[in-house]
Amino acid sequence: MTKIKRIGIMTGGGDCPGSNAVIRAVAKRAMFEHEWEVFGIEDGYEGMIKGRFRKLAASDVSGILTLGGTILGTSNTSDPYAYIVKRGKGTVSRDVSAQVIRNVRAKGLDALVLIGGDGTLHTAAHLSEAGLRIVGVPKTIDNDLGGTDLTFGFDTAVSVATEAVDRLHTTAQSHHRIMIVEVMGRRAGWIALYAGVAGGGDIILIPEIPYTLEAIAAKIHFRRMCGKKFSIVVIAEGAKPKGGEVVVKKRVETSADPIRLGGVGFVLGDQLERLTGQEARCVVLGHLQRGGSPTAADRILATQLGAEAVRLIANGEFGRMIAVRGGGISSVPLDVPAMGPRLVPLDHPLIVAARSVGTSFGDE
Ligand code: F6P
């Protein structure tokens, strides 16, 4: 087994509250327990492609536990296996993975901790097969990564969304309106489900349960009959009507995953106004859910994941992703997240509980 002397750490994909807490945990354990040198890789795979590595001192990772974003920067448009470069007036896609491997070896990085979502970890799995020693740390506010029961950032996103639902509740009540809160969640409705339940949303719409306008209008009508003149709808950006499609806001052609969702709440608001005759307003929370300081739960989880990543490297266990499974911290093969998203099961206990207290999921 090669003796580890120097490691690299990178954050890739969309940023996520708690990323700095992971960086801090990795760097501190590596420096203090093993006396390894730690290099930060700037702006995700972009920095690996361009060789932008900077040595981290203990002071660089001190005081960042509570900080949102990532001190290393990130990118979700630089895929080493399909790197977009300018050619003439257009662009072409190139495989620059060999350059990444060369840069890592030239810098003498014996192992890498790559913190990212499905895209980053999918690429990491390929680089691992190509010979780099990699440990992955799962990261997404959407909480939909396969192989792990929980991702850091999710708890913070749920807290932000819940506070928004709480605030919109009072204004909805004053104006007797339908208030729609659109939250992130392209493929899975974890944020909508948790924030919807925590904020007492009357209707929760998630990608896993296609809705009908009639079912939503019926719930609003029923509430009015019961003297409740307002209704709160919490909708995931990836929710769609039965037999319908998601609402696409734009395409980012330079991204490996070019579709950006957004706006389904506005579409639904117009439809509900027409159908119910009641005024509707929509708020899209967007990147607010990804910003700011992580919650206590996320700081704790991020610290555990980062510390565990270093333990795996010290043990020579590469090609693995740290995971939360059955309440404990363990690891799974690095290619597991690429096998598909972790969706909300239709019989999830929280769905069952929410239905039992009268919450509608727009399906019945
Ligand atoms: O994967 C996390 C996520 O927050 C999605 O819910 C959202 O659709 C996407 O990232 C937006 O990414 P960006 O705007 O940074 O490209």
Short mmCIF file of all heavy atoms in Angstrom, two decimals, residues 141-197:
data_model
loop_
_atom_site.label_atom_id
_atom_site.label_comp_id
_atom_site.label_asym_id
_atom_site.label_seq_id
_atom_site.Cartn_x
_atom_site.Cartn_y
_atom_site.Cartn_z
N ILE A 141 -28.55 19.32 -1.88
CA ILE A 141 -29.67 19.71 -0.99
C ILE A 141 -30.90 18.86 -1.30
O ILE A 141 -31.77 18.73 -0.47
CB ILE A 141 -30.03 21.21 -1.11
CG1 ILE A 141 -30.54 21.54 -2.52
CG2 ILE A 141 -28.87 22.09 -0.69
CD1 ILE A 141 -31.32 22.84 -2.57
N ASP A 142 -30.95 18.28 -2.51
CA ASP A 142 -32.15 17.54 -2.92
C ASP A 142 -32.32 16.22 -2.18
O ASP A 142 -33.40 15.63 -2.20
CB ASP A 142 -32.10 17.25 -4.43
CG ASP A 142 -32.18 18.52 -5.25
OD1 ASP A 142 -32.40 19.59 -4.68
OD2 ASP A 142 -32.02 18.42 -6.49
N ASN A 143 -31.25 15.73 -1.55
CA ASN A 143 -31.28 14.47 -0.78
C ASN A 143 -31.65 13.26 -1.63
O ASN A 143 -32.23 12.29 -1.13
CB ASN A 143 -32.27 14.60 0.39
CG ASN A 143 -32.02 13.58 1.48
OD1 ASN A 143 -30.88 13.18 1.72
ND2 ASN A 143 -33.07 13.14 2.15
N ASP A 144 -31.35 13.30 -2.92
CA ASP A 144 -31.82 12.25 -3.82
C ASP A 144 -30.69 11.36 -4.37
O ASP A 144 -30.87 10.71 -5.40
CB ASP A 144 -32.62 12.86 -4.98
CG ASP A 144 -31.76 13.76 -5.86
OD1 ASP A 144 -30.60 14.05 -5.49
OD2 ASP A 144 -32.24 14.17 -6.93
N LEU A 145 -29.54 11.35 -3.69
CA LEU A 145 -28.43 10.54 -4.21
C LEU A 145 -28.60 9.07 -3.84
O LEU A 145 -28.81 8.74 -2.66
CB LEU A 145 -27.12 11.03 -3.62
CG LEU A 145 -26.28 11.97 -4.46
CD1 LEU A 145 -24.92 12.16 -3.83
CD2 LEU A 145 -26.10 11.44 -5.87
N GLY A 146 -28.48 8.21 -4.83
CA GLY A 146 -28.55 6.78 -4.58
C GLY A 146 -27.39 6.34 -3.70
O GLY A 146 -26.30 6.90 -3.76
N GLY A 147 -27.63 5.35 -2.85
CA GLY A 147 -26.55 4.78 -2.03
C GLY A 147 -26.47 5.37 -0.64
O GLY A 147 -25.80 4.82 0.23
N THR A 148 -27.09 6.52 -0.41
CA THR A 148 -27.05 7.13 0.93
C THR A 148 -28.47 7.55 1.34
O THR A 148 -29.25 8.01 0.50
CB THR A 148 -26.07 8.33 0.99
OG1 THR A 148 -26.05 8.84 2.32
CG2 THR A 148 -26.45 9.45 0.03
N ASP A 149 -28.76 7.40 2.63
CA ASP A 149 -30.10 7.76 3.11
C ASP A 149 -30.23 9.26 3.34
O ASP A 149 -31.33 9.76 3.53
CB ASP A 149 -30.40 7.07 4.46
CG ASP A 149 -30.35 5.56 4.35
OD1 ASP A 149 -30.46 5.05 3.22
OD2 ASP A 149 -30.21 4.89 5.40
N LEU A 150 -29.09 9.95 3.36
CA LEU A 150 -29.11 11.37 3.70
C LEU A 150 -27.92 12.07 3.08
O LEU A 150 -26.83 11.49 3.00
CB LEU A 150 -29.06 11.50 5.23
CG LEU A 150 -29.28 12.89 5.86
CD1 LEU A 150 -30.66 13.44 5.50
CD2 LEU A 150 -29.15 12.79 7.39
N THR A 151 -28.12 13.32 2.64
CA THR A 151 -26.98 14.12 2.17
C THR A 151 -26.93 15.40 3.00
O THR A 151 -27.97 15.91 3.42
CB THR A 151 -27.13 14.49 0.68
OG1 THR A 151 -28.42 15.07 0.47
CG2 THR A 151 -26.96 13.28 -0.20
N PHE A 152 -25.72 15.92 3.22
CA PHE A 152 -25.64 17.18 3.97
C PHE A 152 -26.19 18.30 3.07
O PHE A 152 -26.14 18.20 1.84
CB PHE A 152 -24.21 17.45 4.47
CG PHE A 152 -23.24 17.82 3.39
CD1 PHE A 152 -23.12 19.13 2.97
CD2 PHE A 152 -22.44 16.86 2.79
CE1 PHE A 152 -22.23 19.49 1.97
CE2 PHE A 152 -21.54 17.20 1.79
CZ PHE A 152 -21.44 18.52 1.38
N GLY A 153 -26.73 19.33 3.69
CA GLY A 153 -27.34 20.43 2.93
C GLY A 153 -28.86 20.32 2.90
O GLY A 153 -29.56 21.32 2.82
N PHE A 154 -29.34 19.08 2.98
CA PHE A 154 -30.79 18.86 2.92
C PHE A 154 -31.49 19.52 4.12
O PHE A 154 -32.49 20.23 3.96
CB PHE A 154 -31.07 17.35 2.89
CG PHE A 154 -32.53 16.99 3.01
CD1 PHE A 154 -33.44 17.39 2.04
CD2 PHE A 154 -33.01 16.25 4.08
CE1 PHE A 154 -34.79 17.07 2.15
CE2 PHE A 154 -34.34 15.91 4.20
CZ PHE A 154 -35.24 16.32 3.24
N ASP A 155 -30.95 19.31 5.30
CA ASP A 155 -31.60 19.85 6.50
C ASP A 155 -31.67 21.39 6.43
O ASP A 155 -32.68 21.98 6.81
CB ASP A 155 -30.84 19.39 7.75
CG ASP A 155 -31.57 19.78 9.02
OD1 ASP A 155 -32.66 19.22 9.27
OD2 ASP A 155 -31.09 20.68 9.73
N THR A 156 -30.60 22.00 5.93
CA THR A 156 -30.59 23.47 5.80
C THR A 156 -31.66 23.92 4.81
O THR A 156 -32.41 24.86 5.07
CB THR A 156 -29.21 23.96 5.34
OG1 THR A 156 -28.21 23.40 6.20
CG2 THR A 156 -29.12 25.47 5.37
N ALA A 157 -31.72 23.23 3.66
CA ALA A 157 -32.70 23.60 2.63
C ALA A 157 -34.12 23.46 3.19
O ALA A 157 -34.99 24.32 2.94
CB ALA A 157 -32.52 22.70 1.40
N VAL A 158 -34.36 22.41 3.95
CA VAL A 158 -35.69 22.20 4.54
C VAL A 158 -36.01 23.33 5.53
O VAL A 158 -37.13 23.84 5.57
CB VAL A 158 -35.79 20.80 5.23
CG1 VAL A 158 -37.06 20.68 6.06
CG2 VAL A 158 -35.74 19.70 4.17
N SER A 159 -35.00 23.74 6.30
CA SER A 159 -35.22 24.83 7.27
C SER A 159 -35.58 26.13 6.56
O SER A 159 -36.50 26.84 6.98
CB SER A 159 -33.97 25.08 8.11
OG SER A 159 -33.65 23.94 8.82
N VAL A 160 -34.83 26.43 5.49
CA VAL A 160 -35.10 27.67 4.73
C VAL A 160 -36.51 27.61 4.14
O VAL A 160 -37.29 28.57 4.25
CB VAL A 160 -34.05 27.85 3.60
CG1 VAL A 160 -34.44 29.00 2.68
CG2 VAL A 160 -32.67 28.08 4.17
N ALA A 161 -36.84 26.48 3.53
CA ALA A 161 -38.16 26.34 2.89
C ALA A 161 -39.28 26.39 3.93
O ALA A 161 -40.33 26.98 3.69
CB ALA A 161 -38.21 25.04 2.09
N THR A 162 -39.04 25.80 5.09
CA THR A 162 -40.07 25.79 6.13
C THR A 162 -40.32 27.22 6.63
O THR A 162 -41.46 27.63 6.83
CB THR A 162 -39.64 24.89 7.31
OG1 THR A 162 -39.41 23.58 6.80
CG2 THR A 162 -40.71 24.83 8.39
N GLU A 163 -39.23 27.97 6.79
CA GLU A 163 -39.42 29.35 7.26
C GLU A 163 -40.21 30.15 6.22
O GLU A 163 -41.08 30.95 6.57
CB GLU A 163 -38.07 30.02 7.54
CG GLU A 163 -38.29 31.33 8.27
CD GLU A 163 -37.09 32.24 8.35
OE1 GLU A 163 -35.97 31.75 8.22
OE2 GLU A 163 -37.32 33.45 8.56
N ALA A 164 -39.92 29.89 4.94
CA ALA A 164 -40.65 30.59 3.88
C ALA A 164 -42.14 30.24 3.94
O ALA A 164 -43.00 31.11 3.82
CB ALA A 164 -40.06 30.23 2.52
N VAL A 165 -42.44 28.95 4.12
CA VAL A 165 -43.85 28.52 4.19
C VAL A 165 -44.52 29.20 5.38
O VAL A 165 -45.65 29.71 5.27
CB VAL A 165 -43.95 26.98 4.30
CG1 VAL A 165 -45.41 26.54 4.50
CG2 VAL A 165 -43.38 26.30 3.06
N ASP A 166 -43.83 29.26 6.50
CA ASP A 166 -44.39 29.92 7.70
C ASP A 166 -44.72 31.38 7.41
O ASP A 166 -45.79 31.87 7.75
CB ASP A 166 -43.39 29.88 8.86
CG ASP A 166 -43.20 28.48 9.43
OD1 ASP A 166 -44.00 27.59 9.06
OD2 ASP A 166 -42.26 28.29 10.23
N ARG A 167 -43.78 32.07 6.77
CA ARG A 167 -43.99 33.50 6.50
C ARG A 167 -45.12 33.71 5.50
O ARG A 167 -45.89 34.66 5.61
CB ARG A 167 -42.69 34.12 5.96
CG ARG A 167 -41.65 34.28 7.03
CD ARG A 167 -40.36 34.87 6.50
NE ARG A 167 -39.40 34.96 7.57
CZ ARG A 167 -39.34 35.97 8.43
NH1 ARG A 167 -40.17 36.97 8.32
NH2 ARG A 167 -38.46 35.97 9.40
N LEU A 168 -45.19 32.83 4.49
CA LEU A 168 -46.22 32.99 3.47
C LEU A 168 -47.61 32.63 4.00
O LEU A 168 -48.62 33.12 3.51
CB LEU A 168 -45.86 32.16 2.23
CG LEU A 168 -44.58 32.68 1.54
CD1 LEU A 168 -44.05 31.69 0.53
CD2 LEU A 168 -44.87 34.03 0.86
N HIS A 169 -47.63 31.79 5.03
CA HIS A 169 -48.88 31.41 5.68
C HIS A 169 -49.65 32.64 6.15
O HIS A 169 -50.84 32.78 5.91
CB HIS A 169 -48.54 30.57 6.93
CG HIS A 169 -49.29 29.29 6.97
ND1 HIS A 169 -48.69 28.06 6.91
CD2 HIS A 169 -50.62 29.02 7.09
CE1 HIS A 169 -49.58 27.12 6.97
NE2 HIS A 169 -50.77 27.67 7.09
N THR A 170 -48.93 33.56 6.83
CA THR A 170 -49.64 34.70 7.43
C THR A 170 -50.18 35.64 6.36
O THR A 170 -51.30 36.13 6.48
CB THR A 170 -48.72 35.48 8.40
OG1 THR A 170 -47.57 35.91 7.69
CG2 THR A 170 -48.28 34.61 9.58
N THR A 171 -49.40 35.84 5.29
CA THR A 171 -49.90 36.75 4.25
C THR A 171 -51.03 36.09 3.44
O THR A 171 -51.99 36.75 3.03
CB THR A 171 -48.76 37.33 3.37
OG1 THR A 171 -49.33 37.95 2.22
CG2 THR A 171 -47.74 36.35 2.95
N ALA A 172 -50.93 34.76 3.25
CA ALA A 172 -52.02 34.04 2.55
C ALA A 172 -53.33 34.19 3.33
O ALA A 172 -54.40 34.42 2.76
CB ALA A 172 -51.64 32.56 2.42
N GLN A 173 -53.18 34.08 4.66
CA GLN A 173 -54.34 34.16 5.54
C GLN A 173 -54.99 35.55 5.47
O GLN A 173 -56.20 35.68 5.33
CB GLN A 173 -53.85 33.92 6.97
CG GLN A 173 -54.90 33.42 7.90
CD GLN A 173 -54.25 32.74 9.12
OE1 GLN A 173 -53.04 32.85 9.34
NE2 GLN A 173 -55.04 32.04 9.89
N SER A 174 -54.15 36.61 5.51
CA SER A 174 -54.67 37.97 5.48
C SER A 174 -55.46 38.25 4.21
O SER A 174 -56.49 38.90 4.22
CB SER A 174 -53.54 39.00 5.55
OG SER A 174 -52.61 38.65 6.52
N HIS A 175 -54.93 37.74 3.06
CA HIS A 175 -55.53 38.08 1.76
C HIS A 175 -56.49 37.00 1.23
O HIS A 175 -56.99 37.14 0.13
CB HIS A 175 -54.42 38.30 0.73
CG HIS A 175 -53.69 39.58 0.91
ND1 HIS A 175 -54.06 40.75 0.30
CD2 HIS A 175 -52.60 39.88 1.66
CE1 HIS A 175 -53.22 41.73 0.64
NE2 HIS A 175 -52.32 41.21 1.49
N HIS A 176 -56.68 35.95 2.00
CA HIS A 176 -57.55 34.83 1.55
C HIS A 176 -57.10 34.31 0.19
O HIS A 176 -57.89 34.17 -0.74
CB HIS A 176 -59.01 35.27 1.48
CG HIS A 176 -59.46 36.06 2.67
ND1 HIS A 176 -59.29 35.62 3.96
CD2 HIS A 176 -60.04 37.28 2.76
CE1 HIS A 176 -59.76 36.53 4.79
NE2 HIS A 176 -60.21 37.56 4.10
N ARG A 177 -55.80 34.08 0.08
CA ARG A 177 -55.25 33.66 -1.21
C ARG A 177 -54.80 32.21 -1.22
O ARG A 177 -54.58 31.60 -0.17
CB ARG A 177 -54.02 34.51 -1.54
CG ARG A 177 -54.33 35.85 -2.07
CD ARG A 177 -53.07 36.67 -2.22
NE ARG A 177 -53.38 37.96 -2.84
CZ ARG A 177 -52.65 39.05 -2.70
NH1 ARG A 177 -51.56 39.03 -1.97
NH2 ARG A 177 -52.99 40.16 -3.32
N ILE A 178 -54.58 31.73 -2.42
CA ILE A 178 -53.83 30.48 -2.59
C ILE A 178 -52.36 30.91 -2.71
O ILE A 178 -52.02 31.73 -3.57
CB ILE A 178 -54.23 29.75 -3.89
CG1 ILE A 178 -55.73 29.43 -3.90
CG2 ILE A 178 -53.40 28.49 -4.07
CD1 ILE A 178 -56.26 29.02 -5.28
N MET A 179 -51.50 30.42 -1.84
CA MET A 179 -50.09 30.81 -1.89
C MET A 179 -49.29 29.56 -2.28
O MET A 179 -49.38 28.53 -1.61
CB MET A 179 -49.65 31.34 -0.52
CG MET A 179 -48.31 31.97 -0.51
SD MET A 179 -48.12 33.38 -1.63
CE MET A 179 -48.79 34.71 -0.65
N ILE A 180 -48.55 29.67 -3.35
CA ILE A 180 -47.78 28.52 -3.86
C ILE A 180 -46.29 28.77 -3.60
O ILE A 180 -45.76 29.82 -3.96
CB ILE A 180 -48.03 28.33 -5.37
CG1 ILE A 180 -49.53 28.06 -5.59
CG2 ILE A 180 -47.19 27.18 -5.93
CD1 ILE A 180 -49.96 28.17 -7.03
N VAL A 181 -45.63 27.82 -2.97
CA VAL A 181 -44.20 27.92 -2.70
C VAL A 181 -43.49 26.85 -3.52
O VAL A 181 -43.70 25.65 -3.30
CB VAL A 181 -43.89 27.70 -1.20
CG1 VAL A 181 -42.43 28.03 -0.91
CG2 VAL A 181 -44.80 28.53 -0.32
N GLU A 182 -42.66 27.29 -4.48
CA GLU A 182 -41.93 26.32 -5.31
C GLU A 182 -40.55 26.10 -4.72
O GLU A 182 -39.79 27.05 -4.52
CB GLU A 182 -41.83 26.84 -6.75
CG GLU A 182 -41.13 25.85 -7.67
CD GLU A 182 -41.03 26.36 -9.10
OE1 GLU A 182 -42.03 26.87 -9.65
OE2 GLU A 182 -39.93 26.26 -9.66
N VAL A 183 -40.22 24.86 -4.45
CA VAL A 183 -38.92 24.53 -3.85
C VAL A 183 -38.11 23.68 -4.84
O VAL A 183 -38.64 23.19 -5.83
CB VAL A 183 -39.09 23.77 -2.50
CG1 VAL A 183 -39.84 24.63 -1.50
CG2 VAL A 183 -39.77 22.42 -2.68
N MET A 184 -36.82 23.49 -4.55
CA MET A 184 -35.98 22.67 -5.44
C MET A 184 -36.33 21.19 -5.29
O MET A 184 -36.95 20.78 -4.31
CB MET A 184 -34.51 22.94 -5.17
CG MET A 184 -34.03 24.22 -5.84
SD MET A 184 -32.26 24.48 -5.65
CE MET A 184 -31.98 25.80 -6.84
N GLY A 185 -35.86 20.42 -6.22
CA GLY A 185 -36.16 18.98 -6.25
C GLY A 185 -36.57 18.62 -7.67
O GLY A 185 -37.73 18.73 -8.03
N ARG A 186 -35.57 18.26 -8.47
CA ARG A 186 -35.84 17.98 -9.88
C ARG A 186 -36.49 16.63 -10.09
O ARG A 186 -37.43 16.47 -10.83
CB ARG A 186 -34.53 18.00 -10.68
CG ARG A 186 -33.96 19.36 -10.87
CD ARG A 186 -32.63 19.28 -11.51
NE ARG A 186 -31.66 18.63 -10.64
CZ ARG A 186 -30.46 18.28 -11.00
NH1 ARG A 186 -30.06 18.46 -12.23
NH2 ARG A 186 -29.62 17.73 -10.15
N ARG A 187 -35.91 15.64 -9.39
CA ARG A 187 -36.38 14.27 -9.62
C ARG A 187 -37.11 13.73 -8.41
O ARG A 187 -37.96 12.86 -8.52
CB ARG A 187 -35.19 13.37 -9.95
CG ARG A 187 -34.41 13.87 -11.14
CD ARG A 187 -33.06 13.24 -11.24
NE ARG A 187 -32.24 13.40 -10.05
CZ ARG A 187 -30.99 13.01 -9.94
NH1 ARG A 187 -30.43 12.42 -10.98
NH2 ARG A 187 -30.29 13.20 -8.84
N ALA A 188 -36.74 14.23 -7.24
CA ALA A 188 -37.31 13.72 -5.99
C ALA A 188 -37.88 14.88 -5.17
O ALA A 188 -37.37 15.99 -5.21
CB ALA A 188 -36.22 13.00 -5.19
N GLY A 189 -38.95 14.57 -4.45
CA GLY A 189 -39.66 15.63 -3.73
C GLY A 189 -39.35 15.71 -2.24
O GLY A 189 -40.19 16.13 -1.45
N TRP A 190 -38.11 15.34 -1.86
CA TRP A 190 -37.79 15.30 -0.43
C TRP A 190 -37.95 16.66 0.24
O TRP A 190 -38.52 16.76 1.34
CB TRP A 190 -36.35 14.80 -0.22
CG TRP A 190 -36.15 13.37 -0.59
CD1 TRP A 190 -35.51 12.89 -1.71
CD2 TRP A 190 -36.60 12.21 0.12
NE1 TRP A 190 -35.54 11.52 -1.73
CE2 TRP A 190 -36.20 11.08 -0.62
CE3 TRP A 190 -37.31 12.02 1.30
CZ2 TRP A 190 -36.48 9.77 -0.20
CZ3 TRP A 190 -37.60 10.73 1.72
CH2 TRP A 190 -37.18 9.62 0.97
N ILE A 191 -37.46 17.73 -0.39
CA ILE A 191 -37.54 19.06 0.24
C ILE A 191 -39.02 19.47 0.37
O ILE A 191 -39.46 19.94 1.42
CB ILE A 191 -36.75 20.13 -0.55
CG1 ILE A 191 -35.27 19.77 -0.58
CG2 ILE A 191 -36.95 21.52 0.06
CD1 ILE A 191 -34.41 20.72 -1.43
N ALA A 192 -39.78 19.29 -0.72
CA ALA A 192 -41.21 19.67 -0.68
C ALA A 192 -41.95 18.88 0.40
O ALA A 192 -42.75 19.44 1.16
CB ALA A 192 -41.84 19.44 -2.05
N LEU A 193 -41.64 17.58 0.49
CA LEU A 193 -42.33 16.74 1.47
C LEU A 193 -42.01 17.19 2.90
O LEU A 193 -42.92 17.42 3.71
CB LEU A 193 -41.93 15.27 1.26
CG LEU A 193 -42.49 14.27 2.29
CD1 LEU A 193 -44.01 14.25 2.26
CD2 LEU A 193 -41.93 12.86 2.03
N TYR A 194 -40.73 17.34 3.19
CA TYR A 194 -40.33 17.69 4.57
C TYR A 194 -40.76 19.11 4.94
O TYR A 194 -41.31 19.34 6.02
CB TYR A 194 -38.82 17.51 4.75
CG TYR A 194 -38.44 16.08 5.10
CD1 TYR A 194 -38.68 15.04 4.21
CD2 TYR A 194 -37.85 15.78 6.32
CE1 TYR A 194 -38.34 13.74 4.54
CE2 TYR A 194 -37.52 14.47 6.65
CZ TYR A 194 -37.75 13.45 5.75
OH TYR A 194 -37.42 12.16 6.06
N ALA A 195 -40.51 20.08 4.04
CA ALA A 195 -40.88 21.48 4.35
C ALA A 195 -42.39 21.62 4.34
O ALA A 195 -42.96 22.39 5.14
CB ALA A 195 -40.25 22.43 3.34
N GLY A 196 -43.05 20.87 3.46
CA GLY A 196 -44.51 20.92 3.40
C GLY A 196 -45.14 20.43 4.69
O GLY A 196 -46.06 21.05 5.23
N VAL A 197 -44.62 19.34 5.20
CA VAL A 197 -45.15 18.79 6.46
C VAL A 197 -44.78 19.73 7.62
O VAL A 197 -45.63 20.08 8.45
CB VAL A 197 -44.64 17.35 6.71
CG1 VAL A 197 -45.01 16.87 8.11
CG2 VAL A 197 -45.21 16.40 5.66
#
